């Protein structure tokens, strides 16, 4: 099961893959320039780590609270990727992540604390 986590609600855009008990992470400046090419960054990140989009099982996106532009861009792109490739999409809250431990998201999924396809942006 390959999982892609996208968190653009803070000062950096984080792209994280959790796959076969391994984690891969890339971070980018939270900027207009990077939002404009976020989908390209995602596909390059997957390719760099040897994954194709159709190998993803789940996409998790931070729905806030956080920066408007980051949340809006990441949710839109995640929805598009999810719908066009039949990949499960889940939203999580910034408050659910402690000490940048994004493995917690998979625990929340197992506990049923995340709802599939229910994304409600929370802006600051």
């Amino acid at each position: 099961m390959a999982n892609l986590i996208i968190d653009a609600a803070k000062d950096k855009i984080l792209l994280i893959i959790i796959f076969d008990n391994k984690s891969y992470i890339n971070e980018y400046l939270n900027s207009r320039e990077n939002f404009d090419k976020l989908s390209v960054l995602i596909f390059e990140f997957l390719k760099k780590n040897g994954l194709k989009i159709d190998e993803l099982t789940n996409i998790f996106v931070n729905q806030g609270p956080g920066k408007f532009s980051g949340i809006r861009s990441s949710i839109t792109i995640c929805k598009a990727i999810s719908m066009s490739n039949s990949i499960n999409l889940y939203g999580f809250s910034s408050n659910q992540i402690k000490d940048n431990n994004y493995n917690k998201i998979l625990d929340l999924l197992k506990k049923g604390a995340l709802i599939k396809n229910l994304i409600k942006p929370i802006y600051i």
Side-chain angles (χ1 to χ4, degrees):
M1 178 180 347
N3 301 286
L4 174 64
I5 301 168
I6 300 174
D7 186 347
K10 302 173 190 164
D11 291 332
K12 295 189 179 189
I13 300 169
L14 295 176
L15 303 180
I16 302 161
I17 296 171
I18 300 176
F19 179 66
D20 289 340
N21 297 321
K22 295 178 185 174
S23 295
Y24 306 97
I25 187 167
N26 249 10
E27 59 181 51
Y28 305 90
L29 183 62
N30 192 330
S31 68
R32 170 73 183 195
E33 179 182 312
N34 284 334
F35 295 139
D36 289 346
K37 61 180 183 181
L38 185 56
S39 58
V40 172
L41 294 174
I42 291 168
F43 285 103
E44 286 175 352
F45 177 62
L46 291 171
K47 184 177 179 179
K48 174 184 168 186
N49 292 291
L51 278 176
K52 296 178 184 172
I53 197 74
D54 60 355
E55 294 176 285
L56 291 175
T57 306
N58 301 305
I59 298 174
F60 301 91
V61 62
N62 189 339
Q63 57 194 12
K67 296 183 176 189
F68 178 84
S69 296
I71 293 170
R72 210 68 188 135
S73 297
S74 59
I75 288 174
T76 302
I77 290 168
C78 287
K79 280 185 175 183
I81 293 171
S82 168
M83 290 177 68
S84 62
N85 294 282
S86 299
I87 301 169
N88 298 324
L89 177 63
Y90 298 91
F92 66 93
S93 169
S94 297
N95 304 330
Q96 293 174 301
I97 303 301
K98 304 286 187 243
D99 301 322
N100 288 328
N101 181 6
Y102 287 88
N103 288 317
K104 174 82 172 158
I105 293 172
L106 299 180
D107 293 337
L108 292 169
L109 179 64
K110 288 176 189 172
K111 292 177 184 175
L114 301 177
I115 300 171
K116 184 177 174 183
N117 296 325
L118 180 62
I119 309 296
K120 293 184 177 182
I122 308 165
Y123 305 114
I124 348 185

